[in-house]
Amino acid sequence: MADRKRPHSREKFVTNDSKGVHRRGEGLGTGPVGSTGGGKGSSGGGMSRAAKVGGGLSIPAIIIAVVFFFLSGGSTGTLNDLSGTQTQGETDLTSVPSTAKLNTNVAQGSREKYTAVSGDGQDVVTIMVYMCGTDLESKSGMATNDIKEMAAATISDKVNLLIYTGGCKQWKNSSISSTANQIYKVENGGLKCLVKDDGAKSMVAPDTLSAYIKWCAKEYPANRYDLILWDHGGGSVSGFGYDEKNAKAGSMNLSGINKALSDGGVKFDFVGFDACLMATAETALMLDKYSDYLIASEETEPGIGWYYTNWLTKLSKNTSMPTLEIGKNIIDDFTSACASVVRGQKTTLSLIDLAEFSHTIPDKLSAFSTDISSTLKEEKGYKTVADARYQTREFAQSSQIDQVDLVDLAGKLGSEEGQVLSDALSEAVKYNRTSSNMTNANGVSIYFPFKRTSYVDKAADAYEDIGMDASYADCIKAFAGQQASGQTSTPASGQGGMSSEDIEAVFNLLLGGLNLSPRDLPAGALDPADLVWSVEDADGASGGEILYLPEDAWEQVQDIELNMFYDDGDGYINLGLDNVFEFDEYGQLLAGSDRTWIAINGQPVAYYHLDTTEDGDAYTITGRVPAFLNGERVNLLLVFDSETPQGYIAGAIYDYKEDGIETVAKSMTELEVGDTLEFLCDHYTYDGAYEDSYYLGDPMKVTDQMVISNVDVGDGAVKILYKLTDIYNQSYWTQALTR
């Protein structure tokens, strides 16, 4: 076949234990469970512990015992009502080997660090935890669990561990108020309340954060200050935080964080984000005026978040510990805990030297940006950049936040400017660890539009607010403009679902309509009129249906997904989008014909492909299955990788429906043996109108042997179509076939 890189197809494992496709009960009124959504709503939240279930493998037996001693009486609160939550014991974190190396070098010319360490264990450290509990706590007790980890540490009298609480409708303990913001000090294994009522201030308001910083510095002066921001995260464009009690306030963007830290008036040893997606170049450049180091994640954080007990104990033993070592301990504990408890969940955490970053990166980023802008002016320049962008490691893909690893992007473009930038970034990131399925995640990301170009102007405004060089904003504006010029209709829906435009296009084809060719197709673009099936191969022999496209058209294709609709006699059940497909020896697409669909323990489920990542022969494919878990609306996260191609259930992610929330929640809740799963599907009338969403199949109890396979869907007729997505993020659909 032609020498071109093809999208990666999931391997099918067919079994003969099908329970068949069938709806159950009355309509649920959930709205379409197969539709796509952006931001925090689609990524969801979750509880703080998750166990791997599925793929015929048992749940790991993780037995963790930690004894907590809590003060009683006086102003010290109790956390004894949370005995159901767990924390990792110290020995559990040492079993995961690391190949990461701590870089202690500093580029010549970098500014002096703000924090001067006295040495000999004489330093006093004030750690300010800004804990906006939000729905992570009210749904799942995630904040309480992390507080228990803090309380389990042995804290010396030279470490002031302070926690500002708020932003949550219902705390899962008897100590912390759900009506007023408060300040606590962790000491002697418990919480001492320092400020009982600080009002119900919005925790995404910069003034709330700056007031807390000022209070801590005044009441607990130290020569080392650290700040940890705990909540949802949205990265370059959306910034930090979601206050459940002040939902309309949105998030604290980088400009807001900049104002809060400026008004706070404190220089920090490190600023850490126990939140998703904040390890960005934009965050690092903004923070340089206030902190020596940034500790943050490129990817969405697993629900367990940072593990606090060990690194706090180690710091208390030596308050003169170098910041690089503190950061390494935080990262090692976090990634090791995630590897032990939430297998399959993508995990990243990095430590960035802000003094070096601000010195070495801006001019190189500017040169890189200018080079991209120049490339875009060349013939086929857009394709060069789009291909590099598509192949670059992307984070929170289903959320459409468009953040990619900057080192990987610079390398994929292959320019001299890119290589220079990549080298400098690798030096500024002093320590970086990831889960095994997070290849090409090098510690710092950046916003680069592709799925949601409507954010471009918002990003450019943010860059101006934080004083970032205009060349990068010019670069992404030029790229987004060319992408828009190559789109002939509505852009492709976000990964992990189908937009209303997708459904309209599909039913036009199901009802016998045609793919009509739009005007002004760009050179080499797919022509919808070509998406017809032939029953002859390239040699003229008859056989199954084959889709022929010119080679220059195939070069535009970046994703292929199979869509199946099941006719249940009253309309169509949408079974979702799966990245399963096959090419013939000539490189042309073959239509599937075996009438099988993905199932869990023999029950066909609605499955929606989220993303595929590849690194040589290694790959990871993730997808979601809409369901109820013990009565709570979730998406099961299914993972298929080169080590476990048959797949497994990595956990469940709560489904969020709040409007206007653009930050992303820590993800994954635990599946436990005995839990009840009820799968969901969307049902459409024969003329394409969404009727309602229903239970799909019968309730299922979680066991320690949850098997994922493909099974025959049953007696009803099925319609299949393939969705092709091109370099302009434009979606196309093939003719519908009946099976």
Side-chain angles (χ1 to χ4, degrees), residues 32 34-36 490-491 493 497-507 684 688 733:
S35 66
T36 56
T490 304
S493 62
M498 299 174 67
S499 67
S500 59
E501 291 82 7
D502 285 334
I503 294 296
E504 182 180 1
V506 165
F507 272 95
Y684 292 85
W733 295 85

Side-chain angles (χ1 to χ4, degrees), residues 6 107 135 170 188 201 211 274 287 364 383 406 426 455 736:
R6 297 181 295 173
D135 47 354
Q170 185 61 54
N188 300 321
K201 302 173 183 175
D274 193 352
L287 280 178
K364 297 174 180 62
K383 183 178 186 305
L406 184 51
S426 298
Y455 269 12

Side-chain angles (χ1 to χ4, degrees), residues 409-473:
L409 176 65
K412 290 290 195 303
L413 279 164
S415 64
E416 180 180 349
E417 292 83 357
Q419 187 59 56
V420 170
L421 175 62
S422 177
D423 291 344
L425 289 165
S426 298
E427 286 297 315
V429 176
K430 298 305 177 185
Y431 195 66
N432 177 50
R433 283 191 66 180
T434 72
S435 55
S436 60
N437 59 353
M438 285 302 297
T439 56
N440 298 321
N442 299 284
V444 59
S445 62
I446 199 165
Y447 169 74
F448 197 101
F450 191 68
K451 296 185 177 72
R452 190 188 293 185
T453 55
S454 59
Y455 269 12
V456 171
D457 289 339
K458 187 176 180 180
D461 290 343
Y463 295 165
E464 184 176 357
D465 288 344
I466 65 174
M468 191 168 158
D469 185 87
S471 58
Y472 188 71

Side-chain angles (χ1 to χ4, degrees), residues 240-292:
F240 162 82
Y242 162 57
D243 186 320
E244 185 179 45
K245 294 165 65 177
N246 296 277
K248 293 183 179 179
S251 59
M252 192 187 312
N253 61 21
L254 295 188
S255 178
I257 299 172
N258 184 50
K259 181 181 186 304
L261 298 184
S262 176
D263 293 347
V266 170
K267 301 293 188 184
F268 293 98
D269 202 3
F270 73 79
V271 172
F273 288 90
D274 193 352
C276 302
L277 305 164
M278 295 304 296
T280 74
E282 296 93 333
T283 306
L285 291 170
M286 179 274 295
L287 280 178
D288 173 61
K289 293 178 288 185
Y290 313 109
S291 180
D292 289 330

Side-chain angles (χ1 to χ4, degrees), residues 606-619:
Y607 170 80
Y608 296 89
H609 171 237
L610 287 169
D611 64 81
T612 300
T613 59
E614 298 179 70
D615 183 23
D617 293 333
Y619 68 88

Side-chain angles (χ1 to χ4, degrees), residues 234-384:
S236 304
V237 178
S238 301
F240 162 82
Y242 162 57
D243 186 320
E244 185 179 45
K245 294 165 65 177
N246 296 277
K248 293 183 179 179
S251 59
M252 192 187 312
N253 61 21
L254 295 188
S255 178
I257 299 172
N258 184 50
K259 181 181 186 304
L261 298 184
S262 176
D263 293 347
V266 170
K267 301 293 188 184
F268 293 98
D269 202 3
F270 73 79
V271 172
F273 288 90
D274 193 352
C276 302
L277 305 164
M278 295 304 296
T280 74
E282 296 93 333
T283 306
L285 291 170
M286 179 274 295
L287 280 178
D288 173 61
K289 293 178 288 185
Y290 313 109
S291 180
D292 289 330
Y293 296 92
L294 166 64
I295 304 172
S297 172
E298 290 186 274
E299 184 55 275
T300 53
E301 281 195 354
I304 62 175
W306 290 15
Y307 173 63
Y308 287 88
T309 306
N310 286 4
W311 73 266
L312 286 170
T313 298
K314 292 175 182 177
L315 176 60
S316 288
K317 289 178 180 177
N318 177 18
T319 56
S320 301
M321 179 183 292
T323 314
L324 287 174
E325 189 174 340
I326 298 172
K328 181 180 184 300
N329 290 338
I330 292 171
I331 293 168
D332 285 344
D333 287 353
F334 169 72
T335 53
S336 295
C338 291
S340 296
V341 182
V342 285
R343 180 191 172 210
Q345 180 77 350
K346 296 175 180 177
T347 305
T348 66
L349 202 62
S350 58
L351 171 65
I352 300 171
D353 186 326
L354 298 176
E356 180 168 341
F357 196 95
S358 63
H359 172 60
T360 62
I361 300 305
D363 60 333
K364 297 174 180 62
L365 179 60
S366 179
F368 176 66
S369 305
T370 301
D371 180 65
I372 293 177
S373 297
S374 298
T375 300
L376 289 170
K377 296 175 182 177
E378 300 172 358
E379 184 180 0
K380 295 188 177 181
Y382 174 82
K383 183 178 186 305
T384 298

